[in-house]
Amino acid sequence: MSMTVDDVVSRSGDHGHHDHHDHDQEGMKILGFWIFLVSDCLLFATLFATFLVLRTHTAGGPTGKELFEIPGFTAETFALLTSSFTSGLAVMEMRRGNVKRLIGWLIVTALLGLVFVGLEIDEFVKMVSEGATMQRSAFLSAFFTLVGTHGCHVTLGLFWMTAIMFQLARYGINAVTQRKVFIACLYWHFLDVVWVFLFTVVYLMGVM
Amino acid sequence: MSSIKDFASHFFVTGDPLIYGADVSIVLVSLAIVFVLTYYKKWGWLWREWLTTVDHKKIGIMYMIAALLMLFRGGVDALLMRMQLAWPNVHFLKSEHYNEIFTTHGTIMILFMAMPLIFAMMNIAVPLQIGARDVAYPYLNAISFWLFFFGAMLLNLSFVIGGSPNSGWTAYPPLSGLEFNPGPGENFYLLSLSISGIGSLATGINFLVTILKMRAPGMKLMYMPLFTWSVLATCIIIIIAFPVLTVALALLFIDRLAGAHFFTMAAGGNPMMYINLFWIWGHPEVYIVVLPAFGIFSEVVATFSKKTAFGYKSMVASMMLISVISYFTWLHHFFTMGAGADVNTFFAISTMMIGIPTGVKIFNWMFTMYRGRIRLTLPMLWTISFIPCFAIGGATGVMLAVAPADYQYHNSYFLIAHFHQVLIGGVVFGMIAGMYYWWPKMFGFKLDERLGRWAFWFWQIGFYVCFMPQYALGFMGMTRRIYTYPDGLGWGPLNFVSTVGAFLMGVGFIFQVWQIVYSIKYGERDLTGDPWDGRTLEWSIPSPAPHYNFAVIPHVKGPDAWWTMKQEMKKEAAVKVDPAEIKPIHMPKNSGRPFIMSVFFFIAGFGLTFNWIWMGVFGLAGVAICLLLRSFEYDTDYYIPVDEVKRTEAALGRL
C-alpha cells in the first residue's frame, strides 16, 4: 500500500473550500508525522537496548523460556500483522473514494487490534499470577516496560482510529480526513514493524 | 487533627528560614500580580493576547521572559552556593539544603534557562529569516511553550512543597532511587523534565519542518542564514536525543513508582544503564544549546563587520559534523567507571575530534571580522568576548578528554570551571548577544547602550574572577558538590575570590534588568525596521513585525537576501510593498487549549509526584479530552482580508 505524501496531497484538490495553500499544510503534517516516527523509533530502540542488556539479569527468577507460550504470542502476531494488511485495504478504499468500505476496513483493523491487546493483557495477567511481576527481576522490569509500551501505543491507536471513524462518518472523505486516515495507518504500520522486532528479539530469542 | 498536622509537615517544606522567606515572597508576588491584573482590568488582555496566542513571535517573547526569570532563580541558587563555600567551615546552609540547591541550580540552568532561551531565539528569528508567516505547526508550538512553562513551575514548586530533588542534575541512581531517596523531590525532577521534554521534542520537529518546507521561494538550503542552519542542526539533535532522555527518566520513575529493578542494586538492576542513557542524551544536549549560540554569533559578526560570513560552506559543514560527532562522546562523562582502556580511548579521541569543526568556526568568525568595518555594538561586544572565553574552555575540555589525565581531575572543580566556561561563555553570551540583536525586532526599540556596557563589564570581569580560581581549586583537590571544607587546605582564599566573581556577575544581571526597564521608557525607537543595517530577511519588515510577518512573501535570489535587495535598489524602495501583490493571508486561530492541556499535565505531574494515582489519572484524562477535542476541531484558521493588510502596511509607511 505504498502511498506517498504527494499522492495524498494531489488527490485532495477537489474537496471543499481548500485551496492550494491548504494542500501544503496537509502534506506538511504528514512530513511532521514521519519525523515523529523517527523519534518514536529511537524511543523503542532505547527500550530494546535496555532489554538486551537486562535480559539475562533474571536474579534467580523465571526466565523467558519458562514464561513465554508459543501459541499465545503467535496468535498476537497474526492478529497484528493481519490488521496492518486490513488498514492498507482501508487506505486503498479511501483512494477509491468509498467511505463506507473505508470505515468497514478500519473497523476490522480496530477489532484485530483489540484482539491483540486482549491477548497481551491475558498474557500479562497469567505471568503476574505466576509471580512473574515487574518487581521480580530486572529482566521482567525490562520485559513489561518494552512490551507494555508497545501495547500502550496500540491502545492509543485504537482510540485514535475510533475518533477518525466518527469524523469520516460525519464529514466523508476530504483533504483533512484523508490526511488523518493516512497518518493513523502510517502509525499502525509502524507499530507492526516494531512488533516484528519484539517478536524476534523478545519472544523468539527468549524461547530459544 | 494530628493527621492533618502530619500531612502538612510532609507536604510543606519546614524548618529553614530561607524557605519561609520564599513562602512569604511567593504569596506576596502572586497577590501583587493578581491585584495589578485586576486593578488595571488586564485579565482579558492577558488571556486574548498572550495565554491563547499561537503567534511565534509572542511565544518567543514568553519563552524569553520565562527563561530570564529562571536565570534569576538559578542565579540565586548559585550565589547561595558561593556564599556557603566562601570560607572554610561555613554553616550558612544545612547540608541537605545545599544538596537541593546544587541540584536545582544545574537542572534549572540547563533545562529551564538555556533550553527556553534558545527556543526563544528560534521562535523570534527563524520564521522571519526564512520569509515565512509562521512555524509549520503554530498550535503545537503553543503546546510546546506551555508544557515547558508548567514543567518549570512544577520543579520550582518543589522548593516550598514536598522538598526539592537532591541527587544532582544528572540524578544518578542508586542515589536517586527509592531506597536512598524516598521523598517526592526526585519525582518532581523526573516529572517536570518529562513534561517539558515532550514540548522540546515537539519544538524540534516543528522547526525542522518549518525550515525544510516553509522557506520563501528561491531560498535554497545554501542560501539560508547561518542562524537558521544552526537551528536545523539543533533540531536534528533534539529529535534524535530527546527520546533517550524520555526513556531514561521513565525507567527511573517506574523504578520509583512501581518498585521495578532497572537501576537498583538488587534483583539484577544496573545503575550504569541509567548513566549511559542519560549521557547519550546529555552530551548532544550540550550541542543543542550551544549550536544556536554559534548561529547567533555568525549573524552578529557578519552584520557588524558589514561582510558576508567568511567560509559559509565550512560553517554549515562544521555544524552538521558537530551534530553527528556529539553522539560519539557520551562516555567521556564517566571515564573512571571502569569501561576499560579501549572504550575510553575511542571516546577520548572522538571527544577531541569535536574540537576540529569548532575550531573551524572560531577561525571563520575571526576571518569575517578581518578587514571588516566593525561596529562595537552590544551584540558584537558579547560575540568578541565569547571567542577567547570559548577557546580557553575548549582547551580545558581537551585536557579533560585525555582519559588517563582525567583520572586525576575527574569530578573536581577543574571540571566545574570548564563546563561553566563553555556554557556561560558559549550559550549565555550567545543568547545575550541574540537578545540584544533581535530586541528591536521584538519590541520596536533598542536597549540602552550605556547600561548595557556596565552590565557587559560586570559580567565579563565577574566571570573570570569567579571561574579562573576554580581551575586551580580543582588541581588542589577540591571536588564538586562539596558542602563545606576544613581550614588549612589552602582553599579558602581562592574560594573567596570565586564568590566575589559570582556576585559581580549578579551585579551584571541587575544592570541588565535596569537596562530593560530604563529602555522601555527611554530606549531609542526603531522606526526603520532595520536598525543595524542587517543582511537577512527579518530586517526587511517593520519592528515589531505585524502578526502576519510579510505582507508579500519575498523572492530570494542568493545568500544575505535582504542585503542584496538593499544593494539592488535604495532602501526606501526596498521596504515598499506593492499593493497589487497583496493577497488574503491565511493564519491560524488562537486557542486556549494548549494552556488548558498543559495545566492538566501539571495536575497529573503534581499528583504522580506524591504518588496520588487518582490525581495523576484525573490530569491525564484531562489531557486526553483536550487531544480529542482538537481532533474534532476543523475550523482552525482564518484569512486576513486584503484591506486589513493594506491598512496595517499603510500605517507602518510601507505602501
Side-chain angles (χ1 to χ4, degrees), chain B residues 150-177:
Chain B
F150 283 105
M153 289 303 109
L154 190 61
L155 186 78
N156 277 279
L157 201 60
S158 71
F159 189 61
V160 292
I161 290 180
S164 293
N166 56 9
S167 56
W169 85 278
T170 52
Y172 285 171
L175 184 58
S176 60

PDB file of all heavy atoms in Angstrom, chain B residues 150-177:
ATOM      1  N   PHE B 150       4.868  24.907  32.401  1.00  0.00           N
ATOM      2  CA  PHE B 150       4.321  24.218  33.570  1.00  0.00           C
ATOM      3  C   PHE B 150       5.301  23.173  34.105  1.00  0.00           C
ATOM      4  O   PHE B 150       5.291  22.871  35.301  1.00  0.00           O
ATOM      5  CB  PHE B 150       2.943  23.634  33.250  1.00  0.00           C
ATOM      6  CG  PHE B 150       1.878  24.689  33.261  1.00  0.00           C
ATOM      7  CD1 PHE B 150       1.337  25.176  32.087  1.00  0.00           C
ATOM      8  CD2 PHE B 150       1.464  25.237  34.465  1.00  0.00           C
ATOM      9  CE1 PHE B 150       0.381  26.183  32.105  1.00  0.00           C
ATOM     10  CE2 PHE B 150       0.516  26.242  34.488  1.00  0.00           C
ATOM     11  CZ  PHE B 150      -0.027  26.720  33.312  1.00  0.00           C
ATOM     12  N   GLY B 151       6.147  22.627  33.240  1.00  0.00           N
ATOM     13  CA  GLY B 151       7.226  21.765  33.740  1.00  0.00           C
ATOM     14  C   GLY B 151       8.140  22.553  34.663  1.00  0.00           C
ATOM     15  O   GLY B 151       8.484  22.100  35.764  1.00  0.00           O
ATOM     16  N   ALA B 152       8.510  23.743  34.245  1.00  0.00           N
ATOM     17  CA  ALA B 152       9.392  24.584  35.058  1.00  0.00           C
ATOM     18  C   ALA B 152       8.716  24.958  36.369  1.00  0.00           C
ATOM     19  O   ALA B 152       9.338  24.938  37.440  1.00  0.00           O
ATOM     20  CB  ALA B 152       9.777  25.842  34.281  1.00  0.00           C
ATOM     21  N   MET B 153       7.415  25.270  36.303  1.00  0.00           N
ATOM     22  CA  MET B 153       6.697  25.630  37.533  1.00  0.00           C
ATOM     23  C   MET B 153       6.660  24.454  38.499  1.00  0.00           C
ATOM     24  O   MET B 153       6.804  24.603  39.709  1.00  0.00           O
ATOM     25  CB  MET B 153       5.259  26.063  37.203  1.00  0.00           C
ATOM     26  CG  MET B 153       5.155  27.403  36.514  1.00  0.00           C
ATOM     27  SD  MET B 153       5.929  28.727  37.461  1.00  0.00           S
ATOM     28  CE  MET B 153       7.356  29.079  36.484  1.00  0.00           C
ATOM     29  N   LEU B 154       6.480  23.253  37.949  1.00  0.00           N
ATOM     30  CA  LEU B 154       6.439  22.056  38.795  1.00  0.00           C
ATOM     31  C   LEU B 154       7.757  21.907  39.556  1.00  0.00           C
ATOM     32  O   LEU B 154       7.764  21.644  40.758  1.00  0.00           O
ATOM     33  CB  LEU B 154       6.169  20.824  37.919  1.00  0.00           C
ATOM     34  CG  LEU B 154       5.865  19.521  38.650  1.00  0.00           C
ATOM     35  CD1 LEU B 154       4.623  19.657  39.506  1.00  0.00           C
ATOM     36  CD2 LEU B 154       5.677  18.387  37.655  1.00  0.00           C
ATOM     37  N   LEU B 155       8.870  22.094  38.844  1.00  0.00           N
ATOM     38  CA  LEU B 155      10.161  21.941  39.525  1.00  0.00           C
ATOM     39  C   LEU B 155      10.340  23.030  40.584  1.00  0.00           C
ATOM     40  O   LEU B 155      10.811  22.762  41.695  1.00  0.00           O
ATOM     41  CB  LEU B 155      11.318  21.984  38.528  1.00  0.00           C
ATOM     42  CG  LEU B 155      12.654  21.673  39.208  1.00  0.00           C
ATOM     43  CD1 LEU B 155      12.795  20.186  39.432  1.00  0.00           C
ATOM     44  CD2 LEU B 155      13.822  22.199  38.430  1.00  0.00           C
ATOM     45  N   ASN B 156       9.947  24.244  40.262  1.00  0.00           N
ATOM     46  CA  ASN B 156      10.129  25.341  41.204  1.00  0.00           C
ATOM     47  C   ASN B 156       9.261  25.187  42.447  1.00  0.00           C
ATOM     48  O   ASN B 156       9.647  25.590  43.542  1.00  0.00           O
ATOM     49  CB  ASN B 156       9.839  26.674  40.515  1.00  0.00           C
ATOM     50  CG  ASN B 156      11.046  27.169  39.757  1.00  0.00           C
ATOM     51  OD1 ASN B 156      11.939  27.747  40.334  1.00  0.00           O
ATOM     52  ND2 ASN B 156      11.097  26.879  38.471  1.00  0.00           N
ATOM     53  N   LEU B 157       8.099  24.591  42.257  1.00  0.00           N
ATOM     54  CA  LEU B 157       7.195  24.352  43.373  1.00  0.00           C
ATOM     55  C   LEU B 157       7.857  23.478  44.438  1.00  0.00           C
ATOM     56  O   LEU B 157       7.572  23.612  45.627  1.00  0.00           O
ATOM     57  CB  LEU B 157       5.935  23.660  42.826  1.00  0.00           C
ATOM     58  CG  LEU B 157       4.668  23.749  43.655  1.00  0.00           C
ATOM     59  CD1 LEU B 157       4.276  25.190  43.826  1.00  0.00           C
ATOM     60  CD2 LEU B 157       3.562  22.972  42.966  1.00  0.00           C
ATOM     61  N   SER B 158       8.759  22.594  43.999  1.00  0.00           N
ATOM     62  CA  SER B 158       9.366  21.647  44.936  1.00  0.00           C
ATOM     63  C   SER B 158      10.136  22.365  46.039  1.00  0.00           C
ATOM     64  O   SER B 158      10.371  21.791  47.095  1.00  0.00           O
ATOM     65  CB  SER B 158      10.286  20.693  44.182  1.00  0.00           C
ATOM     66  OG  SER B 158      11.439  21.385  43.741  1.00  0.00           O
ATOM     67  N   PHE B 159      10.497  23.600  45.823  1.00  0.00           N
ATOM     68  CA  PHE B 159      11.268  24.327  46.822  1.00  0.00           C
ATOM     69  C   PHE B 159      10.461  24.523  48.099  1.00  0.00           C
ATOM     70  O   PHE B 159      10.983  24.464  49.200  1.00  0.00           O
ATOM     71  CB  PHE B 159      11.687  25.686  46.245  1.00  0.00           C
ATOM     72  CG  PHE B 159      12.655  26.441  47.091  1.00  0.00           C
ATOM     73  CD1 PHE B 159      13.901  25.908  47.383  1.00  0.00           C
ATOM     74  CD2 PHE B 159      12.326  27.670  47.618  1.00  0.00           C
ATOM     75  CE1 PHE B 159      14.798  26.593  48.169  1.00  0.00           C
ATOM     76  CE2 PHE B 159      13.225  28.368  48.408  1.00  0.00           C
ATOM     77  CZ  PHE B 159      14.458  27.821  48.677  1.00  0.00           C
ATOM     78  N   VAL B 160       9.160  24.770  47.954  1.00  0.00           N
ATOM     79  CA  VAL B 160       8.338  25.026  49.137  1.00  0.00           C
ATOM     80  C   VAL B 160       7.347  23.903  49.426  1.00  0.00           C
ATOM     81  O   VAL B 160       6.797  23.831  50.519  1.00  0.00           O
ATOM     82  CB  VAL B 160       7.571  26.370  49.014  1.00  0.00           C
ATOM     83  CG1 VAL B 160       8.539  27.530  49.061  1.00  0.00           C
ATOM     84  CG2 VAL B 160       6.737  26.421  47.756  1.00  0.00           C
ATOM     85  N   ILE B 161       7.094  23.042  48.452  1.00  0.00           N
ATOM     86  CA  ILE B 161       6.141  21.949  48.697  1.00  0.00           C
ATOM     87  C   ILE B 161       6.831  20.619  48.428  1.00  0.00           C
ATOM     88  O   ILE B 161       7.370  20.400  47.347  1.00  0.00           O
ATOM     89  CB  ILE B 161       4.886  22.111  47.807  1.00  0.00           C
ATOM     90  CG1 ILE B 161       4.084  23.307  48.299  1.00  0.00           C
ATOM     91  CG2 ILE B 161       4.035  20.850  47.837  1.00  0.00           C
ATOM     92  CD1 ILE B 161       2.843  23.582  47.532  1.00  0.00           C
ATOM     93  N   GLY B 162       6.832  19.758  49.416  1.00  0.00           N
ATOM     94  CA  GLY B 162       7.355  18.402  49.237  1.00  0.00           C
ATOM     95  C   GLY B 162       8.854  18.273  49.357  1.00  0.00           C
ATOM     96  O   GLY B 162       9.351  17.280  49.841  1.00  0.00           O
ATOM     97  N   GLY B 163       9.605  19.269  48.928  1.00  0.00           N
ATOM     98  CA  GLY B 163      11.072  19.192  49.011  1.00  0.00           C
ATOM     99  C   GLY B 163      11.706  19.031  47.642  1.00  0.00           C
ATOM    100  O   GLY B 163      11.193  18.320  46.787  1.00  0.00           O
ATOM    101  N   SER B 164      12.850  19.699  47.435  1.00  0.00           N
ATOM    102  CA  SER B 164      13.499  19.693  46.121  1.00  0.00           C
ATOM    103  C   SER B 164      14.268  18.394  45.901  1.00  0.00           C
ATOM    104  O   SER B 164      14.637  17.723  46.854  1.00  0.00           O
ATOM    105  CB  SER B 164      14.476  20.860  46.034  1.00  0.00           C
ATOM    106  OG  SER B 164      13.783  22.074  46.049  1.00  0.00           O
ATOM    107  N   PRO B 165      14.516  18.061  44.632  1.00  0.00           N
ATOM    108  CA  PRO B 165      15.405  16.931  44.342  1.00  0.00           C
ATOM    109  C   PRO B 165      16.802  17.244  44.875  1.00  0.00           C
ATOM    110  O   PRO B 165      17.186  18.411  44.967  1.00  0.00           O
ATOM    111  CB  PRO B 165      15.387  16.846  42.819  1.00  0.00           C
ATOM    112  CG  PRO B 165      14.968  18.196  42.356  1.00  0.00           C
ATOM    113  CD  PRO B 165      14.053  18.719  43.408  1.00  0.00           C
ATOM    114  N   ASN B 166      17.553  16.211  45.228  1.00  0.00           N
ATOM    115  CA  ASN B 166      18.833  16.474  45.878  1.00  0.00           C
ATOM    116  C   ASN B 166      19.956  15.556  45.419  1.00  0.00           C
ATOM    117  O   ASN B 166      20.959  15.415  46.101  1.00  0.00           O
ATOM    118  CB  ASN B 166      18.683  16.371  47.394  1.00  0.00           C
ATOM    119  CG  ASN B 166      18.125  15.030  47.805  1.00  0.00           C
ATOM    120  OD1 ASN B 166      18.008  14.138  46.980  1.00  0.00           O
ATOM    121  ND2 ASN B 166      17.775  14.886  49.050  1.00  0.00           N
ATOM    122  N   SER B 167      19.807  14.899  44.260  1.00  0.00           N
ATOM    123  CA  SER B 167      20.889  13.994  43.871  1.00  0.00           C
ATOM    124  C   SER B 167      21.596  14.477  42.607  1.00  0.00           C
ATOM    125  O   SER B 167      22.039  13.681  41.792  1.00  0.00           O
ATOM    126  CB  SER B 167      20.355  12.577  43.688  1.00  0.00           C
ATOM    127  OG  SER B 167      19.312  12.574  42.762  1.00  0.00           O
ATOM    128  N   GLY B 168      21.691  15.769  42.454  1.00  0.00           N
ATOM    129  CA  GLY B 168      22.409  16.310  41.302  1.00  0.00           C
ATOM    130  C   GLY B 168      21.510  16.427  40.090  1.00  0.00           C
ATOM    131  O   GLY B 168      20.485  15.758  39.999  1.00  0.00           O
ATOM    132  N   TRP B 169      21.917  17.290  39.138  1.00  0.00           N
ATOM    133  CA  TRP B 169      21.041  17.498  37.979  1.00  0.00           C
ATOM    134  C   TRP B 169      21.006  16.267  37.084  1.00  0.00           C
ATOM    135  O   TRP B 169      20.140  16.123  36.242  1.00  0.00           O
ATOM    136  CB  TRP B 169      21.466  18.742  37.192  1.00  0.00           C
ATOM    137  CG  TRP B 169      22.557  18.534  36.182  1.00  0.00           C
ATOM    138  CD1 TRP B 169      23.888  18.504  36.430  1.00  0.00           C
ATOM    139  CD2 TRP B 169      22.407  18.340  34.781  1.00  0.00           C
ATOM    140  NE1 TRP B 169      24.574  18.291  35.264  1.00  0.00           N
ATOM    141  CE2 TRP B 169      23.691  18.192  34.237  1.00  0.00           C
ATOM    142  CE3 TRP B 169      21.305  18.284  33.917  1.00  0.00           C
ATOM    143  CZ2 TRP B 169      23.919  17.975  32.877  1.00  0.00           C
ATOM    144  CZ3 TRP B 169      21.543  18.065  32.565  1.00  0.00           C
ATOM    145  CH2 TRP B 169      22.830  17.917  32.068  1.00  0.00           C
ATOM    146  N   THR B 170      21.986  15.343  37.274  1.00  0.00           N
ATOM    147  CA  THR B 170      22.003  14.116  36.493  1.00  0.00           C
ATOM    148  C   THR B 170      21.192  13.011  37.139  1.00  0.00           C
ATOM    149  O   THR B 170      20.889  12.019  36.483  1.00  0.00           O
ATOM    150  CB  THR B 170      23.443  13.635  36.322  1.00  0.00           C
ATOM    151  OG1 THR B 170      24.031  13.586  37.627  1.00  0.00           O
ATOM    152  CG2 THR B 170      24.252  14.560  35.457  1.00  0.00           C
ATOM    153  N   ALA B 171      20.881  13.137  38.442  1.00  0.00           N
ATOM    154  CA  ALA B 171      20.024  12.180  39.170  1.00  0.00           C
ATOM    155  C   ALA B 171      20.470  10.737  38.999  1.00  0.00           C
ATOM    156  O   ALA B 171      19.674   9.866  38.636  1.00  0.00           O
ATOM    157  CB  ALA B 171      18.559  12.349  38.744  1.00  0.00           C
ATOM    158  N   TYR B 172      21.743  10.484  39.250  1.00  0.00           N
ATOM    159  CA  TYR B 172      22.231   9.112  39.109  1.00  0.00           C
ATOM    160  C   TYR B 172      21.608   8.174  40.148  1.00  0.00           C
ATOM    161  O   TYR B 172      21.637   8.469  41.334  1.00  0.00           O
ATOM    162  CB  TYR B 172      23.757   9.062  39.340  1.00  0.00           C
ATOM    163  CG  TYR B 172      24.628   9.592  38.228  1.00  0.00           C
ATOM    164  CD1 TYR B 172      25.993   9.759  38.440  1.00  0.00           C
ATOM    165  CD2 TYR B 172      24.118   9.906  36.982  1.00  0.00           C
ATOM    166  CE1 TYR B 172      26.821  10.239  37.444  1.00  0.00           C
ATOM    167  CE2 TYR B 172      24.942  10.392  35.980  1.00  0.00           C
ATOM    168  CZ  TYR B 172      26.286  10.559  36.218  1.00  0.00           C
ATOM    169  OH  TYR B 172      27.103  11.037  35.235  1.00  0.00           O
ATOM    170  N   PRO B 173      21.086   7.036  39.719  1.00  0.00           N
ATOM    171  CA  PRO B 173      20.761   6.000  40.669  1.00  0.00           C
ATOM    172  C   PRO B 173      22.070   5.304  41.096  1.00  0.00           C
ATOM    173  O   PRO B 173      23.052   5.401  40.360  1.00  0.00           O
ATOM    174  CB  PRO B 173      19.864   5.045  39.897  1.00  0.00           C
ATOM    175  CG  PRO B 173      20.159   5.300  38.466  1.00  0.00           C
ATOM    176  CD  PRO B 173      20.753   6.675  38.358  1.00  0.00           C
ATOM    177  N   PRO B 174      22.133   4.620  42.208  1.00  0.00           N
ATOM    178  CA  PRO B 174      21.033   4.356  43.154  1.00  0.00           C
ATOM    179  C   PRO B 174      20.709   5.525  44.085  1.00  0.00           C
ATOM    180  O   PRO B 174      19.725   5.450  44.794  1.00  0.00           O
ATOM    181  CB  PRO B 174      21.550   3.160  43.951  1.00  0.00           C
ATOM    182  CG  PRO B 174      23.033   3.263  43.861  1.00  0.00           C
ATOM    183  CD  PRO B 174      23.355   3.877  42.541  1.00  0.00           C
ATOM    184  N   LEU B 175      21.529   6.585  44.062  1.00  0.00           N
ATOM    185  CA  LEU B 175      21.257   7.703  44.972  1.00  0.00           C
ATOM    186  C   LEU B 175      19.870   8.301  44.737  1.00  0.00           C
ATOM    187  O   LEU B 175      19.196   8.724  45.674  1.00  0.00           O
ATOM    188  CB  LEU B 175      22.336   8.787  44.787  1.00  0.00           C
ATOM    189  CG  LEU B 175      22.248   9.985  45.727  1.00  0.00           C
ATOM    190  CD1 LEU B 175      22.323   9.550  47.175  1.00  0.00           C
ATOM    191  CD2 LEU B 175      23.351  10.979  45.424  1.00  0.00           C
ATOM    192  N   SER B 176      19.443   8.341  43.464  1.00  0.00           N
ATOM    193  CA  SER B 176      18.134   8.916  43.170  1.00  0.00           C
ATOM    194  C   SER B 176      17.028   7.869  43.229  1.00  0.00           C
ATOM    195  O   SER B 176      15.875   8.180  42.966  1.00  0.00           O
ATOM    196  CB  SER B 176      18.155   9.550  41.781  1.00  0.00           C
ATOM    197  OG  SER B 176      18.468   8.562  40.821  1.00  0.00           O
ATOM    198  N   GLY B 177      17.386   6.618  43.558  1.00  0.00           N
ATOM    199  CA  GLY B 177      16.378   5.558  43.626  1.00  0.00           C
ATOM    200  C   GLY B 177      15.576   5.657  44.915  1.00  0.00           C
ATOM    201  O   GLY B 177      15.901   6.420  45.824  1.00  0.00           O
TER     202      GLY B 177
END
